[in-house]
Amino acid sequence: MKKRIGLFFGSKSVEHEISIITAMQVLNAIDKEKYEVVPIYIDKSGKFFTGDYLKEIKNFKNLSLIPKNSQRIINLKLNAKNKMIFETESIFNKKMEIDIAFSTIHGTYGEDGKIHGIFEMLNIPYVGADVASSALGMDKVLMKEIFKANDLPIVNHLWIKRDEWENKKDEIIKNIEEKIKYPLFVKPANLGSSIGITKAYDRENLIYGVEIAKFYDRKIIFEQSIENLREINCSVLGNDEPIASVCEEVKSNKDFLDYESKYKSKPKQEQILKKFGHTIPADISDIKTKEIQELAIKTFKAIDCKGIARIDFLMDETTEKVYVNEINTMPGAISFYLWQASGISFPNLIDNLINLAYEIYEDKNKNITSIDSDVLLQDIKEVKRI
Amino acid sequence: MFVEIDGLKIFYNVEGNGNPVILLHGWGANSDSLFPISNYLKKIYQTISLDLPGFGKSDIPLNSFSGDDYKNIVLNFINLLNLKNYVIIGHSFGGRIAIRIAKENPDELKGLILIDSAGIREKKTTKQKISENTFKFLKKITTKLFKGKSREKILDKLRNIFGSVDYKSQKGVMRDTLVKVVNEDLTSFLKEIKVKTLIIWGEKDKELSVKHAYIMYELIQNSKLIILKNCGHFPYLDNLPKVLSTIESFLEEVYGNI
C-alpha cells in the first residue's frame, strides 16, 4: 500500500513563498508509485488548507483564491491506528488520514520546531530535524552558543535584545566597536534566508541595521564580516551516523546574498544555480573539502540534527580559514542538487528522508515515557505550599 | 580508462588512495550505478569501478557469457591491475560474480560485501509458471499458423510481452547471456566461501526476496547480515547513510586485522 505523506508548507514566515517552491519541487520529484501526497498549506495567517488545488504552483500566484478552491482544515487529531486525521470544513466533513508528515516550511512557524511539536504530540513519524534541533538551528544566538561549546570555528559576534537597544544604545555601540571590527553584519536572530540583514561599514550603517533588524526579532546579532570571502555549503544526510554531500561554492555579485538575489526573479532551479554562480563541486582542494565535510557532520551532530541539513561556511580566501556560519534544518530545495551531485537523485533523496524519519520514530517509541508511580496516591496533605 | 582482457575492451575507473575496493554493478547497469558508494569510500580507500562486459562502455562479448566467464574476466582484471588486499562489493548480478570469485578463496581477497545479491535460483511462482506456459502455448500456435517475417514479428512481440524487464531491455548476445546466467544456482558455492562477508539487503526487495539474504547468511560461514527496513532492491539509494555506515565499519574491521 502506498504511504500517505502529509506535505506541510507555507506558514507564517517571511520565507512563505520559498516554502511553496520547495513543496512543489518535492511534489514533482516524489515517487508516485510509492507515495501519495496530501498537500497541507498553511497560509500567512496560520490557517490550514488541503485539496488538489494546492498541488500546482500556478495556483499560488493569487493567494486570495486559495480559500475558495481548497478545503479549510478545522481539526487535526489521531485515529485509533495512530494516523493523523484532518477534518475539513466542507459539508461532507471529509476526513483525511496521513502516515507521515513532511514539512518544507522555511523559517518561522515551521523550520523552528513549532510544527514538529504538533507531530510529536500526535506521535506520528515526520521527516527531518526534531523540535530541539529545529529550534537551535533557527535561533542564531543559541546556535552560536552550541557551536562554541563544541569548539566549532565561528566568527566574532555579540548579541542584544531590542529593548536593550532602546535604553543603552551608546553603550552597546561602544561594546560592539571594541569587540568587532567594521565591516560587520547586523542580523535578526530568528530568521532564515537573508531577510533583515545589513552589512555595516560604519556606525551610521550599524544604527540603520539595528533599526531594520529589530522589526523582525527581539534578539539581534552582530557578526564579524570576512573580507575576501568565499562561501562554501555542504549538506548532511542521516541520523546518528550522517554522511556529507559534495560541497558547493555560492558566488554572489553583491556583498552578500540578500533576499532579492537569493530567491526572486529565478523560476527554475537550474537557472538559479547558473545565475548566482553555484559551483558544484566547489573548486577547493581535496583536503579542504574533507575538512569542510567533517566540520559539517560535527555541526549536524552538535545540535543533534536528524534527516537533512545544509551547513553554510565562510572561508577567508587568503588564509583559507573556515568558519561555520549557520545550519539550515530545512534548506531551500532540500539541497537536492548537492545530493544529485553525490549520486542520489531527488526522488531517492526523498526515499532516504522518509526512511530516516521512520528510523527515528521507531527508535523514539522504544523510550520509556511513563513509569508506574504512586506519587499521586500519597496523602496530599504532605505537600506543603510555600 | 580502458584495459583489454581476453580480447574485450573493459572500461574502469580508479579513485582515491588506500586499500582497494572493487565494485561490481548489477544487470543493465554500469560503473556509475554504485557511485553513491564509491564516491564516499574514495576518501579512505582506492575504489575501482568497472563496466562489466556487455554494459556501459565495455565491449559486448562475441558469444553469450556465463557466470564463469564473467568471473574469469574480473579475476584477470584484478591480476592485471595487480590488486592486493582487496574487498569486493557486488550488487545484484555483480554479487553473483563476487560469489564465484569468493568461492575460489583468492589469497588477496580480504572481504566480500553482497548487496541484494543474485546467486540463489528461486522456484518459480505460480504467476510466473502461468505466464511461461501461456507464452509457450502462443509460441506454438504462432509457429503453426504463420511463416517467415510475420512469424518472427509476432514472436518478437510475444517475447516483449512475456519477457522480464531485463530480458526486454537486452538484445542478441546479452539476451542469451541473461538466460544463461539467471539459471545458474550458486547455493552450493556459498558454503565454500571463507572470507569475512557482509550481506546487506533491502527488506522490501521485489527482485530478490529477503529470503535469499537469510540463506546466504546461513551458508556463508563468516558472515554478517544487515536487513534494511523500508528499502528495496537498491538499499543504497533508499537509505544511503545506513548502507555507508555499515560498509564503513565492516571495512574498518576487515582492514584493521591486516
Side-chain angles (χ1 to χ4, degrees):
Chain A
M1 215 174 67
K2 281 188 197 177
K3 282 207 171 75
R4 198 178 265 175
I5 316 275
L7 184 63
F8 293 75
F9 60 101
S11 201
K12 295 191 279 179
S13 163
V14 290
E15 294 170 88
H16 186 92
E17 284 75 12
I18 318 305
S19 169
I20 295 170
I21 295 173
T22 304
M24 294 305 123
Q25 287 174 319
V26 169
L27 245 165
N28 286 331
I30 199 165
D31 186 341
K32 276 127 197 135
E33 299 286 312
K34 289 187 197 161
Y35 312 106
E36 182 193 339
V37 179
V38 179
I40 297 136
Y41 167 69
I42 305 169
D43 76 4
K44 287 180 176 175
S45 68
K47 292 188 192 87
F48 287 55
F49 294 91
T50 189
D52 285 346
Y53 184 76
L54 304 167
K55 283 184 172 176
E56 275 181 79
I57 196 152
K58 66 173 168 44
N59 294 337
F60 291 92
K61 280 187 182 146
N62 187 348
L63 296 179
S64 65
L65 295 174
I66 285 177
K68 265 187 256 167
N69 294 293
S70 58
Q71 293 90 51
R72 171 107 187 258
I73 294 168
I74 48 162
N75 200 359
L76 282 179
K77 61 180 186 185
L78 270 191
N79 71 3
K81 287 180 283 173
N82 245 20
K83 285 189 178 179
M84 196 194 253
I85 304 190
F86 300 95
E87 284 177 8
T88 58
E89 215 176 27
S90 75
I91 347 161
F92 306 107
N93 194 9
K94 215 171 129 195
K95 285 181 186 168
M96 300 273 274
E97 274 183 2
I98 63 161
D99 300 308
I100 174 167
F102 191 157
S103 161
T104 63
I105 300 168
H106 300 300
T108 47
Y109 295 91
E111 196 178 342
D112 54 2
K114 291 188 173 110
I115 193 129
H116 308 89
I118 299 179
F119 307 148
E120 286 283 349
M121 290 308 286
L122 292 179
N123 193 31
I124 66 157
Y126 61 92
V127 165
D130 59 8
V131 176
S133 49
S134 298
L136 287 171
M138 183 56 47
D139 188 314
K140 292 189 175 80
V141 171
L142 293 176
M143 188 200 293
K144 284 198 193 293
E145 294 299 316
I146 297 277
F147 290 173
K148 212 160 55 183
N150 282 278
D151 294 325
L152 289 161
I154 51 173
V155 295
N156 277 344
H157 72 284
L158 276 175
W159 67 278
I160 57 161
K161 288 179 187 159
R162 70 179 156 210
D163 290 351
E164 292 171 340
W165 178 253
E166 303 301 330
N167 305 328
K168 302 184 277 185
K169 197 185 282 185
D170 293 340
E171 201 183 309
I172 290 169
I173 293 173
K174 198 175 152 234
N175 196 15
I176 292 169
E177 288 178 343
E178 261 171 31
K179 292 198 174 124
I180 311 173
K181 278 178 282 175
Y182 291 110
L184 55 86
F185 284 109
V186 186
K187 299 176 176 178
N190 245 315
L191 282 189
S193 279
S194 316
I195 299 160
I197 297 179
T198 307
K199 187 173 183 181
Y201 292 88
D202 53 28
R203 192 176 294 178
E204 197 184 324
N205 293 162
L206 173 71
I207 295 167
Y208 169 81
V210 177
E211 293 302 326
I212 293 200
K214 73 178 194 183
F215 282 111
Y216 293 101
D217 197 17
R218 55 183 272 278
K219 283 192 281 191
I220 299 156
I221 189 162
F222 306 92
E223 288 172 3
Q224 181 66 60
S225 163
I226 309 275
E227 298 307 288
N228 307 316
L229 171 72
R230 288 180 75 180
E231 288 180 88
I232 314 285
N233 299 343
C234 179
S235 179
V236 172
L237 177 72
N239 290 328
D240 289 341
E241 291 171 295
I243 53 173
S245 72
V246 298
C247 297
E248 67 168 334
E249 175 162 12
V250 192
K251 282 201 181 110
S252 49
N253 302 327
K254 292 188 188 176
D255 264 346
F256 73 101
L257 281 172
D258 59 17
Y259 183 78
E260 291 279 324
S261 67
K262 211 167 179 179
Y263 290 119
K264 283 200 173 164
S265 70
K266 39 165 188 167
K268 281 189 184 143
Q269 193 63 34
E270 293 72 28
Q271 286 176 14
I272 301 165
L273 297 180
K274 220 173 174 183
K275 189 170 175 188
F276 292 90
H278 286 232
T279 312
I280 304 171
D283 187 16
I284 48 176
S285 69
D286 286 353
I287 299 167
K288 217 60 209 171
T289 302
K290 212 172 161 191
E291 180 192 333
I292 289 173
Q293 286 173 328
E294 278 165 13
L295 275 175
I297 288 175
K298 204 176 163 194
T299 308
F300 188 89
K301 286 181 170 173
I303 66 159
D304 194 16
C305 199
K306 318 278 189 310
I308 197 163
R310 193 192 71 223
I311 294 96
D312 298 353
F313 294 89
L314 307 170
M315 185 168 99
D316 191 318
E317 203 176 350
T318 32
T319 62
E320 291 222 325
K321 167 104 178 112
V322 172
Y323 303 89
V324 182
N325 186 33
E326 61 174 351
I327 181 164
N328 300 283
T329 55
M330 181 36 68
I334 330 186
S335 296
F336 81 85
Y337 48 94
L338 289 175
W339 289 102
Q340 219 163 40
S342 310
I344 289 288
S345 67
F346 199 176
N348 283 142
L349 178 64
I350 297 169
D351 289 335
N352 271 268
L353 290 172
I354 288 167
N355 287 330
L356 291 165
Y358 274 99
E359 216 172 274
I360 290 290
Y361 179 72
E362 281 156 20
D363 194 43
K364 186 170 64 195
N365 283 296
K366 281 186 211 154
N367 292 350
I368 297 171
T369 50
S370 72
I371 46 169
D372 288 331
S373 166
D374 57 358
V375 72
L376 294 174
L377 302 174
Q378 285 165 15
D379 193 345
I380 223 87
K381 279 175 206 159
E382 278 180 23
V383 180
K384 283 181 190 162
R385 287 180 188 277
I386 42 170
Chain B
M1 277 178 282
F2 285 95
V3 67
E4 200 178 298
I5 297 167
D6 302 345
L8 294 176
K9 248 175 40 186
I10 304 292
F11 174 80
Y12 70 105
N13 208 355
V14 180
E15 280 189 288
N17 293 301
N19 287 309
V21 178
I22 303 158
L23 297 105
L24 303 179
H25 62 78
W27 187 267
N30 59 49
S31 53
D32 285 340
S33 334
L34 294 163
F35 175 73
I37 298 176
S38 63
N39 183 46
Y40 183 80
L41 295 181
K42 73 178 183 199
K43 287 174 215 161
I44 318 165
Y45 302 98
Q46 181 183 50
T47 58
I48 302 116
S49 318
L50 63 154
D51 285 346
L52 293 164
F55 304 101
K57 298 192 203 82
S58 291
D59 280 350
I60 297 170
L62 289 175
N63 301 306
S64 66
F65 253 31
S66 66
D68 209 48
D69 294 330
Y70 274 106
K71 178 210 71 185
N72 289 333
I73 288 269
V74 176
L75 274 178
N76 290 343
F77 172 83
I78 290 169
N79 289 335
L80 204 72
L81 267 72
N82 198 20
L83 301 175
K84 306 279 177 214
N85 292 334
Y86 58 86
V87 166
I88 300 182
I89 302 180
H91 173 242
S92 195
F93 166 71
R96 181 187 283 284
I97 304 168
I99 289 171
R100 282 184 175 272
I101 295 172
K103 182 229 172 196
E104 297 191 355
N105 293 300
D107 286 344
E108 297 298 334
L109 176 69
K110 302 298 171 192
L112 172 67
I113 300 174
L114 300 172
I115 305 173
D116 296 64
S117 173
I120 295 170
R121 197 179 165 193
E122 205 171 8
K123 277 183 193 154
K124 286 180 182 126
T125 60
T126 325
K127 201 176 146 191
Q128 280 169 324
K129 276 184 201 157
I130 294 171
S131 161
E132 246 185 59
N133 288 335
T134 318
F135 173 65
K136 277 181 191 158
F137 175 69
L138 291 173
K139 194 177 158 187
K140 221 173 172 180
I141 295 178
T142 313
T143 328
K144 275 192 180 162
L145 294 180
F146 298 93
K147 274 180 194 163
K149 271 187 182 173
S150 51
R151 179 199 281 179
E152 274 316 302
K153 239 180 173 177
I154 296 169
L155 283 179
D156 238 23
K157 270 192 181 161
L158 287 175
R159 277 189 204 109
N160 279 325
I161 293 167
F162 290 95
S164 70
V165 180
D166 280 342
Y167 183 81
K168 281 176 215 165
S169 61
Q170 299 293 336
K171 281 197 176 82
V173 176
M174 291 313 284
R175 268 196 176 179
D176 297 337
T177 300
L178 177 69
V179 174
K180 224 183 227 181
V181 165
V182 293
N183 285 315
E184 294 169 352
D185 182 41
L186 307 183
T187 311
S188 63
F189 288 26
L190 299 169
K191 276 178 273 182
E192 292 175 51
I193 297 175
K194 296 200 173 68
V195 76
K196 211 172 241 177
T197 303
L198 170 67
I199 304 160
I200 298 175
W201 221 281
E203 192 187 26
K204 296 199 172 145
D205 189 340
K206 285 177 190 156
E207 316 294 325
L208 294 164
S209 151
V210 72
K211 281 183 219 153
H212 295 203
Y214 290 109
I215 299 171
M216 288 188 184
Y217 174 60
E218 182 89 26
L219 294 177
I220 302 176
Q221 306 154 34
N222 202 356
S223 64
K224 213 186 246 178
L225 171 63
I226 304 285
I227 290 171
L228 296 173
K229 274 191 185 172
N230 296 318
C231 293
H233 189 55
F234 297 86
Y236 61 93
L237 296 181
D238 293 329
N239 195 342
L240 183 64
K242 197 99 214 173
V243 170
L244 290 182
S245 59
T246 309
I247 292 178
E248 204 180 6
S249 49
F250 177 77
L251 290 177
E252 272 168 24
E253 208 184 302
V254 166
Y255 287 122
N257 294 332
I258 291 175

